PDB file of all heavy atoms in Angstrom:
ATOM      1  N   GLY A 124     138.960 130.231 125.291  1.00  0.00           N
ATOM      2  CA  GLY A 124     138.689 130.843 126.595  1.00  0.00           C
ATOM      3  C   GLY A 124     137.654 131.942 126.496  1.00  0.00           C
ATOM      4  O   GLY A 124     136.850 132.137 127.406  1.00  0.00           O
ATOM      5  N   ILE A 125     137.655 132.655 125.386  1.00  0.00           N
ATOM      6  CA  ILE A 125     136.651 133.707 125.171  1.00  0.00           C
ATOM      7  C   ILE A 125     135.272 133.086 124.996  1.00  0.00           C
ATOM      8  O   ILE A 125     134.287 133.584 125.542  1.00  0.00           O
ATOM      9  CB  ILE A 125     137.044 134.591 123.974  1.00  0.00           C
ATOM     10  CG1 ILE A 125     138.331 135.350 124.312  1.00  0.00           C
ATOM     11  CG2 ILE A 125     135.921 135.554 123.615  1.00  0.00           C
ATOM     12  CD1 ILE A 125     138.954 136.080 123.164  1.00  0.00           C
ATOM     13  N   TYR A 126     135.184 131.989 124.247  1.00  0.00           N
ATOM     14  CA  TYR A 126     133.910 131.280 124.117  1.00  0.00           C
ATOM     15  C   TYR A 126     133.412 130.818 125.490  1.00  0.00           C
ATOM     16  O   TYR A 126     132.231 130.903 125.801  1.00  0.00           O
ATOM     17  CB  TYR A 126     134.035 130.066 123.200  1.00  0.00           C
ATOM     18  CG  TYR A 126     134.316 130.379 121.761  1.00  0.00           C
ATOM     19  CD1 TYR A 126     135.168 129.577 121.016  1.00  0.00           C
ATOM     20  CD2 TYR A 126     133.737 131.467 121.122  1.00  0.00           C
ATOM     21  CE1 TYR A 126     135.433 129.849 119.683  1.00  0.00           C
ATOM     22  CE2 TYR A 126     133.996 131.745 119.800  1.00  0.00           C
ATOM     23  CZ  TYR A 126     134.844 130.940 119.080  1.00  0.00           C
ATOM     24  OH  TYR A 126     135.101 131.216 117.771  1.00  0.00           O
ATOM     25  N   ASN A 127     134.326 130.324 126.300  1.00  0.00           N
ATOM     26  CA  ASN A 127     133.979 129.862 127.638  1.00  0.00           C
ATOM     27  C   ASN A 127     133.406 131.002 128.482  1.00  0.00           C
ATOM     28  O   ASN A 127     132.399 130.828 129.170  1.00  0.00           O
ATOM     29  CB  ASN A 127     135.217 129.264 128.305  1.00  0.00           C
ATOM     30  CG  ASN A 127     134.916 128.622 129.631  1.00  0.00           C
ATOM     31  OD1 ASN A 127     133.785 128.303 129.956  1.00  0.00           O
ATOM     32  ND2 ASN A 127     135.947 128.440 130.416  1.00  0.00           N
ATOM     33  N   ILE A 128     134.019 132.167 128.407  1.00  0.00           N
ATOM     34  CA  ILE A 128     133.539 133.318 129.179  1.00  0.00           C
ATOM     35  C   ILE A 128     132.169 133.771 128.693  1.00  0.00           C
ATOM     36  O   ILE A 128     131.281 134.076 129.497  1.00  0.00           O
ATOM     37  CB  ILE A 128     134.556 134.479 129.111  1.00  0.00           C
ATOM     38  CG1 ILE A 128     135.871 134.057 129.746  1.00  0.00           C
ATOM     39  CG2 ILE A 128     134.016 135.733 129.755  1.00  0.00           C
ATOM     40  CD1 ILE A 128     135.778 133.609 131.180  1.00  0.00           C
ATOM     41  N   ILE A 129     131.973 133.799 127.397  1.00  0.00           N
ATOM     42  CA  ILE A 129     130.669 134.209 126.855  1.00  0.00           C
ATOM     43  C   ILE A 129     129.579 133.255 127.327  1.00  0.00           C
ATOM     44  O   ILE A 129     128.514 133.685 127.800  1.00  0.00           O
ATOM     45  CB  ILE A 129     130.720 134.288 125.312  1.00  0.00           C
ATOM     46  CG1 ILE A 129     131.621 135.446 124.884  1.00  0.00           C
ATOM     47  CG2 ILE A 129     129.317 134.439 124.728  1.00  0.00           C
ATOM     48  CD1 ILE A 129     131.947 135.462 123.406  1.00  0.00           C
ATOM     49  N   ILE A 130     129.846 131.965 127.234  1.00  0.00           N
ATOM     50  CA  ILE A 130     128.873 130.971 127.704  1.00  0.00           C
ATOM     51  C   ILE A 130     128.654 131.124 129.204  1.00  0.00           C
ATOM     52  O   ILE A 130     127.521 131.047 129.690  1.00  0.00           O
ATOM     53  CB  ILE A 130     129.340 129.552 127.337  1.00  0.00           C
ATOM     54  CG1 ILE A 130     129.266 129.362 125.827  1.00  0.00           C
ATOM     55  CG2 ILE A 130     128.530 128.492 128.063  1.00  0.00           C
ATOM     56  CD1 ILE A 130     129.930 128.116 125.326  1.00  0.00           C
ATOM     57  N   SER A 131     129.720 131.379 129.945  1.00  0.00           N
ATOM     58  CA  SER A 131     129.618 131.550 131.398  1.00  0.00           C
ATOM     59  C   SER A 131     128.710 132.712 131.766  1.00  0.00           C
ATOM     60  O   SER A 131     127.853 132.585 132.635  1.00  0.00           O
ATOM     61  CB  SER A 131     131.000 131.786 131.999  1.00  0.00           C
ATOM     62  OG  SER A 131     131.831 130.690 131.788  1.00  0.00           O
ATOM     63  N   VAL A 132     128.914 133.845 131.123  1.00  0.00           N
ATOM     64  CA  VAL A 132     128.132 135.039 131.441  1.00  0.00           C
ATOM     65  C   VAL A 132     126.663 134.835 131.083  1.00  0.00           C
ATOM     66  O   VAL A 132     125.766 135.160 131.869  1.00  0.00           O
ATOM     67  CB  VAL A 132     128.709 136.276 130.729  1.00  0.00           C
ATOM     68  CG1 VAL A 132     127.785 137.465 130.834  1.00  0.00           C
ATOM     69  CG2 VAL A 132     130.088 136.611 131.285  1.00  0.00           C
ATOM     70  N   VAL A 133     126.414 134.279 129.916  1.00  0.00           N
ATOM     71  CA  VAL A 133     125.025 134.067 129.484  1.00  0.00           C
ATOM     72  C   VAL A 133     124.313 133.099 130.432  1.00  0.00           C
ATOM     73  O   VAL A 133     123.196 133.374 130.892  1.00  0.00           O
ATOM     74  CB  VAL A 133     124.975 133.560 128.023  1.00  0.00           C
ATOM     75  CG1 VAL A 133     123.589 133.084 127.656  1.00  0.00           C
ATOM     76  CG2 VAL A 133     125.447 134.643 127.070  1.00  0.00           C
ATOM     77  N   LEU A 134     124.947 131.975 130.736  1.00  0.00           N
ATOM     78  CA  LEU A 134     124.295 131.005 131.614  1.00  0.00           C
ATOM     79  C   LEU A 134     124.203 131.504 133.055  1.00  0.00           C
ATOM     80  O   LEU A 134     123.248 131.157 133.760  1.00  0.00           O
ATOM     81  CB  LEU A 134     125.017 129.665 131.560  1.00  0.00           C
ATOM     82  CG  LEU A 134     124.830 128.896 130.252  1.00  0.00           C
ATOM     83  CD1 LEU A 134     125.584 127.577 130.293  1.00  0.00           C
ATOM     84  CD2 LEU A 134     123.364 128.644 129.962  1.00  0.00           C
TER      85      LEU A 134
END
Side-chain angles (χ1 to χ4, degrees):
I125 294 171
Y126 294 142
N127 186 18
I128 297 302
I129 292 169
I130 291 169
S131 298
V132 170
V133 169
L134 289 180

